[in-house]
Amino acid sequence: GRGFTAEAQVAAAEDRWGDAMERALDAAELGAKCGRNGLFLHGLVAFALVQPVQRRAEACVPHLTAEEAHAAAARLDRIRAEFPSAADAFRAERRITLASVRDLVRDRISSQDLARIGLDSSQRGVIDGPLRALYPKPWAYHSVDRYYRRLIAEAEKPYWQQQPVPVPSEPNRGATICAIVQSSYAYSTVFEAP
């Protein structure tokens, strides 16, 4: 991204505005592709990568020919379509979180792993304590699955129709599910590649 941005700056300094716009759009396209098939966090990073490029591209617009402006607008429309939607990001998070929940309940993630990602002893105690042996694991898995499916359904609605999705809070399960979701999400963002 920085290389494209630097090339755009050089081209603008040399009054090659069409080239400057193309390099700025190259950087925007790279940013859009960075967020594909990743967690919600990766989508936010993709948008953050585009912010400095946007200012560079906007500075080029008054200097473009009509043909260059039309080509840039068409390319920008294609790039916008490549950005991940919130629903896409939640689908990726659902897959990774459910895989991590399976790892947690199958004892594939140790207490040391959970400590390394920053869970304090009370959070680890919910997951590693005596409740873990008694806790019906399918409940946790299905509660997390339902939660993400509701997030995806809400994210697919127009913004003004979306409703907040509460974290599961069934009796005696709320704290455990919250700890499982938090730990599996943290584990997946630190130890697993999307």
Side-chain angles (χ1 to χ4, degrees):
R2 288 183 184 173
F4 289 131
T5 304
E7 287 180 31
Q9 188 174 4
V10 169
E14 295 173 354
D15 288 331
R16 294 183 293 117
W17 295 103
D19 290 339
M21 177 60 89
E22 284 300 309
R23 293 306 71 80
L25 291 175
D26 287 342
E29 189 169 8
L30 178 65
K33 290 181 180 188
C34 285
R36 298 301 297 171
N37 298 317
L39 299 173
F40 199 76
L41 178 64
H42 298 120
L44 294 175
V45 169
F47 284 109
L49 288 171
V50 173
Q51 290 307 311
V53 174
Q54 180 180 346
R55 289 188 295 277
R56 178 91 41 222
E58 287 172 353
C60 296
V61 172
H63 306 284
L64 297 177
T65 65
E67 184 179 304
E68 290 170 333
H70 287 295
R75 185 171 178 205
L76 184 58
D77 287 341
R78 287 191 306 273
I79 292 169
R80 280 186 177 160
E82 291 181 18
F83 273 98
S85 69
D88 291 337
F90 285 134
R91 281 185 194 91
E93 281 201 27
R94 177 182 164 270
R95 285 190 309 270
I96 291 170
T97 301
L98 289 175
S100 297
V101 168
R102 280 191 302 271
D103 287 347
L104 272 170
V105 299
R106 292 179 180 165
D107 293 327
R108 293 182 184 158
I109 299 174
S110 70
S111 184
Q112 292 81 12
D113 289 336
L114 298 175
R116 259 189 309 196
I117 59 175
L119 265 64
D120 63 35
S121 60
S122 66
Q123 292 167 316
R124 289 193 315 270
V126 169
I127 295 170
D128 276 346
L131 183 59
R132 181 179 187 159
L134 302 173
Y135 188 77
K137 278 79 170 177
W139 285 0
Y141 184 89
H142 293 298
S143 290
V144 171
D145 187 31
R146 279 191 305 274
Y147 172 69
Y148 273 104
R149 287 181 186 273
R150 288 190 60 203
L151 281 175
I152 293 164
E154 289 300 319
E156 289 176 332
K157 294 178 183 177
Y159 179 74
W160 59 90
Q161 292 178 356
Q162 293 177 8
Q163 297 293 318
V165 177
V167 174
S169 61
E170 293 87 354
N172 299 323
R173 290 194 269 166
T176 305
I177 290 171
C178 289
I180 288 172
V181 169
Q182 181 181 7
S183 61
S184 62
Y185 176 77
Y187 184 82
S188 66
T189 58
V190 173
F191 293 105
E192 296 181 16

